[in-house]
Amino acid sequence: MYLSQFRHFSSLHYRCAARRARFTTSPPVYNSLQVQHQLSSAAVKEETQDVTAIDSLLSIVKLRVDPRFGSIMPMRIPSLWAEARLAIGQEEESLSLIARSSRSVVDSSSDKPPPRNMHDSYTEFVLPFASDPNLLEEYVNAAGGIRTGKLMEHLDSLAGSISYKHVLGPTKSELKVEEMGLYIVTAGVERIDMLRPLTPGHDLRLSGQVIYTGRSSMEVVVRIEKVHSKETQEKDETILLGRFSMVCRNARTNQAYPVSPLIISTKEDKALFSIGQELKQRRASLVQRSLSRVPPSSQEAAALHEIYLKFGEAISQHAYGHHKTSPEIKFVHSDFTSASQDLSTGLDYTAELVPMDETRTERCMLMFPQERNVHQKIFGGYLMRLAYELGFSNASMFCRGRVRFLALDEISFKLPVPIGSILRLDSVILYDDLVRQIERNGEENVYQLVHVGVKANVIDIKTGTEKTTNEFRFTWRGEEKFTGDGIESQKLRKVVPKTYRDAILWLEARRAVAVGDEIRDLMAKRRETTTES
């Protein structure tokens, strides 16, 4: 009940703010997607309002946190690899003896775990970039910004620490794997959205907590905040928000291990728990509506047919070159856009057509023990960083210039990556579009947006076969501005699906970008409203 009231208030607040914005000089920011009409408007609104609701509610719940127990648990044990190998061998031998005997394994997961408060799992740490230039030097990229891939590595570690703190209790400060009888793994990352630009001139606070628990699963929310100095008297700003799905397993049987239920003691706890429950249900619904299970909708089929009519002949004849596309890019007319704007104006531009399968880049590497986690497998955050950096490189080459990270749209963790294995990372541009933005000074600029898929496969060197361990989806925006009524640039490229499999991947990417674009538009409106008030 409270959640519905909260959403009603949030939706009403933004609609009213948008109406007020029509009479101000602060211009709105528009997105470029043509696909919103095929998505359920109610589902999109739920997704975007969840972002703002979670951010606000986390700030309230944080006030109840005991600062003595907010530190992060290390997800990498500083033990020697020789000792770790010996421990692994002893564990495998023990499990083998149990399997050969008829004795049943004692399942410690039959005990009911104690309930926990939602704020008990709160964990944070600060990267003091403003005061520590040596630390900043470890994170700075070639353009002087922050290496987002390294932050993603931290976020995965943070989500694991939060999960263990919820299961083991907030007073635990270290992990003793041999005594726990359980292990926790990342099942997937639903979204990570960059809500504000990431700049190196401020300290960054990384924090998060569990907001929902099932029998053996947890929904974990993480965020990165820009920490302002006390002298400025400015409020800290949320610049990134992410959602992780974690599962707990019995260390001996690999079966589901029950996690502590949540104590719902306040209306904020109730709202966060309801959001987490809906996120889990929505994820299951999206799986059922995946294009791997059901055919494209009539609108999606029409979009594919339009792509075929425009570019099919050129692609089939390998006459890629530069083609006049005239796509009539249309903007979404949502509650947050101004009715006085002409949203149906098209943009004519010339682009080089690039078949999807010709945008592939790959990296093959050996997995060393230095990147292992507490379970003696390759650390998931390390894989996230590798995938991000490969995807960033591919997006930069496709746009022929620097790109800015917008969102991690999805990660699925299918299998663990063993130490010593050979990992092949394969990246491909799945979708691109143009996004038009009206800046605060009234200038209108057009940027290119690209959605990149990265797949991680482990290679069996004896048979040559490969198994997919992880799949990643990222969205970037080119930094180069395309201005004017028409766009004529030899640098602009457009990815085109060539096969039916490519077309399905193109549509899946299109769906993901639609949600992310709506979130970014809503957050832009929220910042404008905050500035006005």
Side-chain angles (χ1 to χ4, degrees):
M1 181 65 183
Y2 175 77
L3 180 63
S4 62
Q5 292 174 346
F6 185 92
R7 283 183 172 155
H8 174 72
F9 171 79
S10 177
S11 178
L12 179 62
H13 171 71
Y14 286 118
R15 284 200 297 269
C16 292
R19 294 190 186 102
R20 292 197 304 270
R22 296 178 187 176
F23 302 99
T24 67
T25 57
S26 180
V29 178
Y30 299 113
N31 54 48
S32 66
L33 300 175
Q34 308 172 41
V35 300
Q36 294 284 58
H37 61 274
Q38 68 178 276
L39 296 173
S40 167
S41 59
V44 171
K45 287 185 183 296
E46 285 182 359
E47 182 75 31
T48 54
Q49 289 173 5
D50 282 346
V51 172
T52 56
I54 289 172
D55 187 25
S56 300
L57 292 167
L58 286 178
S59 299
I60 299 174
V61 175
K62 179 185 173 183
L63 299 176
R64 304 198 302 273
V65 173
D66 188 332
R68 295 175 300 170
F69 307 131
S71 59
I72 190 169
M73 288 184 179
M75 290 295 102
R76 304 192 190 196
I77 296 179
S79 61
L80 298 177
W81 175 232
E83 296 175 353
R85 289 185 62 188
L86 180 61
I88 293 173
Q90 291 175 345
E91 182 179 1
E92 290 177 348
E93 183 179 356
S94 175
L95 291 176
S96 178
L97 289 173
I98 292 174
R100 285 198 298 268
S101 67
S102 59
R103 293 177 297 172
S104 60
V105 179
V106 178
D107 189 358
S108 60
S109 64
S110 59
D111 299 330
K112 282 189 176 182
R116 311 281 188 199
N117 291 305
M118 189 172 287
H119 59 269
D120 286 345
S121 63
Y122 178 84
T123 305
E124 72 170 33
F125 67 96
V126 175
L127 295 173
F129 292 144
S131 58
D132 190 344
N134 292 324
L135 177 66
L136 178 60
E137 180 67 19
E138 298 178 14
Y139 288 79
V140 71
N141 60 28
I146 300 296
R147 291 177 59 185
T148 309
K150 284 182 70 69
L151 294 182
M152 288 189 178
E153 190 169 0
H154 287 320
L155 290 177
D156 184 72
S157 179
L158 176 62
S161 178
I162 291 168
S163 302
Y164 276 112
K165 186 171 291 187
H166 174 79
V167 173
L168 302 178
T171 59
K172 292 286 185 179
S173 59
E174 60 179 351
L175 296 176
K176 296 182 178 180
V177 180
E178 65 279 1
E179 299 177 4
M180 291 191 302
L182 61 92
Y183 65 93
I184 297 174
V185 296
T186 306
V189 183
E190 188 170 356
R191 291 198 64 83
I192 294 179
D193 290 288
M194 188 69 73
L195 307 179
R196 288 178 173 84
L198 182 63
T199 55
H202 298 80
D203 293 348
L204 297 180
R205 181 192 299 115
L206 286 72
S207 64
Q209 65 182 60
V210 173
I211 66 168
Y212 172 82
T213 57
R215 181 179 178 274
S216 61
S217 64
M218 292 165 280
E219 298 293 322
V220 176
V221 173
V222 297
R223 65 174 175 174
I224 299 179
E225 297 169 276
K226 181 189 295 183
V227 182
H228 291 281
S229 62
K230 295 181 180 179
E231 291 77 12
T232 63
Q233 295 183 347
E234 295 183 47
K235 292 183 178 180
D236 297 341
E237 299 176 270
T238 299
I239 60 175
L240 181 147
L241 198 68
R243 308 195 296 260
F244 285 69
S245 177
M246 315 294 290
V247 294
C248 189
R249 293 286 182 263
N250 186 296
R252 287 184 172 272
T253 65
N254 293 323
Q255 300 299 311
Y257 192 102
V259 301
S260 298
L262 280 169
I263 300 172
I264 308 300
S265 56
T266 68
K267 60 182 182 181
E268 291 82 17
D269 290 346
K270 183 178 181 181
L272 282 171
F273 187 86
S274 297
I275 291 175
Q277 187 176 35
E278 289 186 8
L279 290 174
K280 185 176 181 179
Q281 294 171 350
R282 194 183 309 159
R283 186 164 57 246
S285 176
L286 288 174
V287 170
Q288 296 301 319
R289 292 187 285 114
S290 168
L291 290 173
S292 62
R293 294 173 178 251
V294 298
S297 66
S298 57
Q299 293 92 341
E300 290 173 327
L304 284 177
H305 187 64
E306 183 180 6
I307 287 290
Y308 169 75
L309 293 178
K310 288 180 179 179
F311 312 122
E313 183 176 355
I315 289 295
S316 63
Q317 295 179 3
H318 301 279
Y320 308 146
H322 290 76
H323 293 262
K324 193 76 172 178
T325 59
S326 302
E328 291 191 1
I329 295 176
K330 298 180 180 180
F331 303 111
V332 180
H333 196 306
S334 70
D335 291 334
F336 315 112
T337 59
S338 171
S340 63
Q341 296 291 327
D342 181 8
L343 303 181
S344 62
T345 301
L347 292 174
D348 295 340
Y349 64 96
T350 300
E352 175 189 352
L353 303 183
V354 183
M356 186 181 292
D357 59 0
E358 293 188 14
T359 66
R360 294 187 179 278
T361 58
E362 95 174 18
R363 182 181 183 184
C364 198
M365 54 194 306
L366 186 62
M367 295 291 98
F368 290 101
Q370 288 76 15
E371 303 299 341
R372 70 188 186 276
N373 60 19
V374 295
H375 310 299
Q376 310 306 328
K377 302 293 183 182
I378 295 300
F379 179 49
Y382 174 66
L383 299 175
M384 289 176 64
R385 175 160 68 88
L386 293 178
Y388 177 91
E389 292 173 353
L390 180 62
F392 175 89
S393 301
N394 199 359
S396 300
M397 290 188 291
F398 183 81
C399 293
R400 291 173 176 163
R402 290 200 59 82
V403 294
R404 180 165 69 87
F405 174 71
L406 296 181
L408 188 157
D409 299 275
E410 183 187 8
I411 298 180
S412 59
F413 290 84
K414 302 177 183 298
L415 295 171
V417 177
I419 297 168
S421 62
I422 297 176
L423 187 75
R424 187 199 303 275
L425 290 170
D426 181 66
S427 170
V428 63
I429 306 296
L430 300 177
Y431 179 82
D432 76 286
D433 203 347
L434 293 181
V435 56
R436 181 162 64 183
Q437 180 171 324
I438 301 177
E439 312 290 357
R440 291 186 178 276
N441 60 5
E443 179 183 358
E444 180 181 291
N445 294 313
V446 177
Y447 303 89
Q448 188 170 23
L449 178 148
V450 291
H451 183 88
V452 184
V454 180
K455 180 180 290 187
N457 285 358
V458 167
I459 303 173
D460 187 328
I461 58 175
K462 295 182 179 180
T463 63
T465 58
E466 300 185 23
K467 290 184 178 180
T468 299
T469 61
N470 307 83
E471 291 187 357
F472 308 82
R473 298 286 183 269
F474 303 95
T475 301
W476 280 276
R477 194 204 74 182
E479 293 286 8
E480 182 174 351
K481 303 175 182 178
F482 301 97
T483 59
D485 296 332
I487 301 175
E488 297 291 340
S489 173
Q490 297 297 307
K491 297 182 70 174
L492 189 59
R493 308 171 83 200
K494 184 172 185 62
V495 67
V496 181
K498 192 174 180 180
T499 65
Y500 187 75
R501 180 181 179 278
D502 291 347
I504 295 300
L505 292 173
W506 185 84
L507 287 177
E508 287 178 342
R510 203 166 178 248
R511 288 180 177 183
V513 170
V515 175
D517 194 65
E518 184 74 8
I519 290 174
R520 290 183 286 275
D521 190 50
L522 183 145
M523 296 305 295
K525 296 300 176 184
R526 186 187 185 194
R527 290 195 294 272
E528 289 177 10
T529 304
T530 303
T531 302
E532 291 172 15
S533 59

